[in-house]
Amino acid sequence: MHSAWIYDDGELGSSGDATTSLPWWSFSKTIIAACALHLAREGRLDLDAAARGPWTLRQLLQHRAGVPCYGGLKTYHDAVARRDVPWSRARLMSEVGEVPNFAPGEGWAYSNVGYMLVREEIEAVASCDIGALATELFGARLGLSTMRLAKTPEDFAHVPGADGYHPDWVYHGCFMGSPMDAATLVAALVDDLLDEGVHPLGGGIEGRPWTETAYGLGLMAGRAGALGRATGHAGVGPFSCCSITRFSDVSRPVSVAVFAEGSNEAIPEWEAVRIARA
């Protein structure tokens, strides 16, 4: 397990190798949302306008658009396990179907495909890929020397269990970098994203530290029992998982990034809680 943490007073901490570059999985959604918000505040995107469908960008970012996803598709997971070449966009949409799960704004359902649609809108406006835009907006300003968009299986060649996995199976894009860069980034982004509000989801998740759950713009924004607010994003792929979270109500507010082998997100989440309690 590899982890890094940053207290608001500037003190740093780490365990394992806090410099090794690892997949950030769904923490990429937080980065995508931050890019969208930046473009919106520049007047280049409208988060509340229709976005190539009956939904708005805000609804896509909050998983309230009803867009189907591939997470439950056996064909998808079988293809990933075989280390097939990623499907084309047309094949993906054929597999998931294009009929919304519910009318936009009338429900909540997690969707990687929804974030793919957001990425496409961002890249059309920015005239560059999401990796280049994130580097431009956050990389130099925050000193993120390892953050990048994974593009080929070679990017994961050093990661245990990757075995030729292609990052394009993550259709919204998979950022990667060190635990220290991830902790730095979540510390910098969450408050700005929280200003856009969150959509309450209800109670806790069995076996995980969440006691209240909500989702904002690219943010899991709930509570972790007595620790109070816990905001950021967990992530999971076929061979690794992570929890990248800011704990703002503890006596020393801290941002924590934890990475583990396997696909049980609860493991890095509970480790992040342990660090935040220390």
Side-chain angles (χ1 to χ4, degrees), residues 1-5 179 241-245 256-260 267-269 271-273 275:
M1 196 176 300
H2 307 287
S3 57
W5 53 95
C241 53
C242 60
S243 174
I244 302 168
T245 308
V256 185
V258 182
F259 294 77
I267 292 173
E269 286 180 341
E271 175 65 7
V273 164
I275 292 167

Short mmCIF file of all heavy atoms in Angstrom, two decimals, residues 1-5 179 241-245 256-260 267-269 271-273 275:
data_model
loop_
_atom_site.label_atom_id
_atom_site.label_comp_id
_atom_site.label_asym_id
_atom_site.label_seq_id
_atom_site.Cartn_x
_atom_site.Cartn_y
_atom_site.Cartn_z
N MET A 1 0.85 -1.19 0.00
CA MET A 1 0.00 0.00 0.00
C MET A 1 0.89 1.24 0.00
O MET A 1 1.91 1.28 0.68
CB MET A 1 -0.92 -0.01 1.22
CG MET A 1 -2.09 0.95 1.13
SD MET A 1 -3.23 0.84 2.54
CE MET A 1 -3.76 -0.88 2.42
N HIS A 2 0.50 2.25 -0.78
CA HIS A 2 1.26 3.49 -0.88
C HIS A 2 0.34 4.66 -0.53
O HIS A 2 -0.81 4.71 -1.00
CB HIS A 2 1.82 3.69 -2.29
CG HIS A 2 2.61 2.52 -2.79
ND1 HIS A 2 3.87 2.22 -2.31
CD2 HIS A 2 2.33 1.58 -3.72
CE1 HIS A 2 4.33 1.14 -2.93
NE2 HIS A 2 3.41 0.74 -3.79
N SER A 3 0.81 5.59 0.26
CA SER A 3 -0.05 6.70 0.65
C SER A 3 0.76 7.96 0.88
O SER A 3 1.97 7.92 1.12
CB SER A 3 -0.85 6.35 1.90
OG SER A 3 0.01 6.00 2.96
N ALA A 4 0.06 9.09 0.80
CA ALA A 4 0.64 10.40 1.09
C ALA A 4 -0.44 11.27 1.70
O ALA A 4 -1.63 11.09 1.40
CB ALA A 4 1.20 11.04 -0.17
N TRP A 5 -0.05 12.20 2.55
CA TRP A 5 -1.03 13.09 3.13
C TRP A 5 -0.42 14.47 3.35
O TRP A 5 0.79 14.62 3.52
CB TRP A 5 -1.61 12.54 4.42
CG TRP A 5 -0.64 12.13 5.48
CD1 TRP A 5 -0.19 12.86 6.54
CD2 TRP A 5 0.00 10.83 5.60
NE1 TRP A 5 0.67 12.12 7.30
CE2 TRP A 5 0.80 10.89 6.77
CE3 TRP A 5 -0.04 9.65 4.85
CZ2 TRP A 5 1.57 9.79 7.18
CZ3 TRP A 5 0.72 8.56 5.27
CH2 TRP A 5 1.51 8.64 6.42
N PRO A 179 1.00 9.25 -5.30
CA PRO A 179 0.12 9.58 -4.18
C PRO A 179 0.28 11.02 -3.70
O PRO A 179 -0.70 11.68 -3.37
CB PRO A 179 0.52 8.57 -3.10
CG PRO A 179 1.03 7.38 -3.87
CD PRO A 179 1.75 7.98 -5.05
N CYS A 241 -6.78 -0.06 -6.64
CA CYS A 241 -7.84 0.82 -6.18
C CYS A 241 -7.21 1.96 -5.38
O CYS A 241 -6.04 1.91 -5.00
CB CYS A 241 -8.87 0.07 -5.36
SG CYS A 241 -8.19 -0.89 -3.98
N CYS A 242 -8.00 2.99 -5.12
CA CYS A 242 -7.46 4.14 -4.41
C CYS A 242 -8.57 4.89 -3.69
O CYS A 242 -9.76 4.76 -4.01
CB CYS A 242 -6.73 5.08 -5.37
SG CYS A 242 -7.74 5.75 -6.71
N SER A 243 -8.17 5.69 -2.73
CA SER A 243 -9.06 6.64 -2.06
C SER A 243 -8.30 7.94 -1.93
O SER A 243 -7.21 7.98 -1.34
CB SER A 243 -9.45 6.11 -0.67
OG SER A 243 -10.19 7.08 0.03
N ILE A 244 -8.86 9.01 -2.49
CA ILE A 244 -8.19 10.32 -2.51
C ILE A 244 -9.18 11.31 -1.91
O ILE A 244 -10.15 11.69 -2.56
CB ILE A 244 -7.76 10.69 -3.94
CG1 ILE A 244 -6.84 9.59 -4.50
CG2 ILE A 244 -7.08 12.03 -3.96
CD1 ILE A 244 -6.57 9.67 -5.97
N THR A 245 -8.96 11.70 -0.66
CA THR A 245 -10.01 12.33 0.14
C THR A 245 -9.46 13.44 1.01
O THR A 245 -8.38 13.32 1.60
CB THR A 245 -10.67 11.27 1.05
OG1 THR A 245 -11.08 10.15 0.27
CG2 THR A 245 -11.89 11.85 1.76
N VAL A 256 -5.68 13.13 1.99
CA VAL A 256 -5.01 11.83 2.03
C VAL A 256 -5.23 11.09 0.72
O VAL A 256 -6.35 11.03 0.20
CB VAL A 256 -5.57 10.96 3.18
CG1 VAL A 256 -4.78 9.66 3.30
CG2 VAL A 256 -5.54 11.72 4.50
N ALA A 257 -4.18 10.49 0.19
CA ALA A 257 -4.27 9.64 -1.00
C ALA A 257 -3.68 8.28 -0.66
O ALA A 257 -2.52 8.20 -0.25
CB ALA A 257 -3.52 10.26 -2.18
N VAL A 258 -4.48 7.23 -0.82
CA VAL A 258 -4.05 5.87 -0.50
C VAL A 258 -4.29 4.97 -1.70
O VAL A 258 -5.38 5.01 -2.30
CB VAL A 258 -4.80 5.30 0.72
CG1 VAL A 258 -4.28 3.90 1.05
CG2 VAL A 258 -4.66 6.22 1.92
N PHE A 259 -3.31 4.15 -2.05
CA PHE A 259 -3.39 3.24 -3.19
C PHE A 259 -3.08 1.82 -2.73
O PHE A 259 -2.15 1.60 -1.95
CB PHE A 259 -2.38 3.66 -4.28
CG PHE A 259 -2.70 4.98 -4.90
CD1 PHE A 259 -2.42 6.16 -4.24
CD2 PHE A 259 -3.31 5.05 -6.15
CE1 PHE A 259 -2.72 7.39 -4.80
CE2 PHE A 259 -3.62 6.27 -6.73
CZ PHE A 259 -3.33 7.45 -6.05
N ALA A 260 -3.86 0.86 -3.24
CA ALA A 260 -3.69 -0.53 -2.84
C ALA A 260 -3.87 -1.45 -4.04
O ALA A 260 -4.53 -1.08 -5.02
CB ALA A 260 -4.69 -0.90 -1.75
N ILE A 267 -10.57 -0.97 1.36
CA ILE A 267 -9.25 -1.07 1.98
C ILE A 267 -8.54 0.29 1.99
O ILE A 267 -8.12 0.76 3.06
CB ILE A 267 -8.41 -2.16 1.28
CG1 ILE A 267 -9.02 -3.54 1.57
CG2 ILE A 267 -6.96 -2.11 1.75
CD1 ILE A 267 -8.38 -4.67 0.80
N PRO A 268 -8.36 0.97 0.86
CA PRO A 268 -7.73 2.29 0.94
C PRO A 268 -8.60 3.32 1.65
O PRO A 268 -8.07 4.25 2.29
CB PRO A 268 -7.49 2.67 -0.53
CG PRO A 268 -8.44 1.83 -1.32
CD PRO A 268 -8.56 0.55 -0.55
N GLU A 269 -9.92 3.19 1.59
CA GLU A 269 -10.78 4.15 2.30
C GLU A 269 -10.57 4.07 3.80
O GLU A 269 -10.44 5.09 4.48
CB GLU A 269 -12.24 3.89 1.96
CG GLU A 269 -12.63 4.36 0.56
CD GLU A 269 -14.08 4.09 0.22
OE1 GLU A 269 -14.72 3.25 0.89
OE2 GLU A 269 -14.58 4.74 -0.70
N GLU A 271 -7.95 2.91 5.33
CA GLU A 271 -6.61 3.38 5.63
C GLU A 271 -6.55 4.91 5.65
O GLU A 271 -5.90 5.51 6.51
CB GLU A 271 -5.61 2.82 4.62
CG GLU A 271 -4.18 3.33 4.77
CD GLU A 271 -3.49 2.93 6.07
OE1 GLU A 271 -4.07 2.13 6.84
OE2 GLU A 271 -2.38 3.41 6.31
N ALA A 272 -7.29 5.54 4.73
CA ALA A 272 -7.35 7.02 4.74
C ALA A 272 -7.99 7.52 6.03
O ALA A 272 -7.52 8.51 6.61
CB ALA A 272 -8.15 7.50 3.52
N VAL A 273 -9.02 6.85 6.51
CA VAL A 273 -9.65 7.21 7.77
C VAL A 273 -8.67 7.06 8.92
O VAL A 273 -8.57 7.92 9.81
CB VAL A 273 -10.91 6.35 8.00
CG1 VAL A 273 -11.36 6.41 9.46
CG2 VAL A 273 -12.03 6.79 7.07
N ILE A 275 -5.42 7.30 8.84
CA ILE A 275 -4.45 8.38 8.77
C ILE A 275 -5.05 9.70 9.27
O ILE A 275 -4.42 10.45 10.00
CB ILE A 275 -3.93 8.53 7.33
CG1 ILE A 275 -3.08 7.30 6.94
CG2 ILE A 275 -3.11 9.81 7.15
CD1 ILE A 275 -2.79 7.19 5.45
#
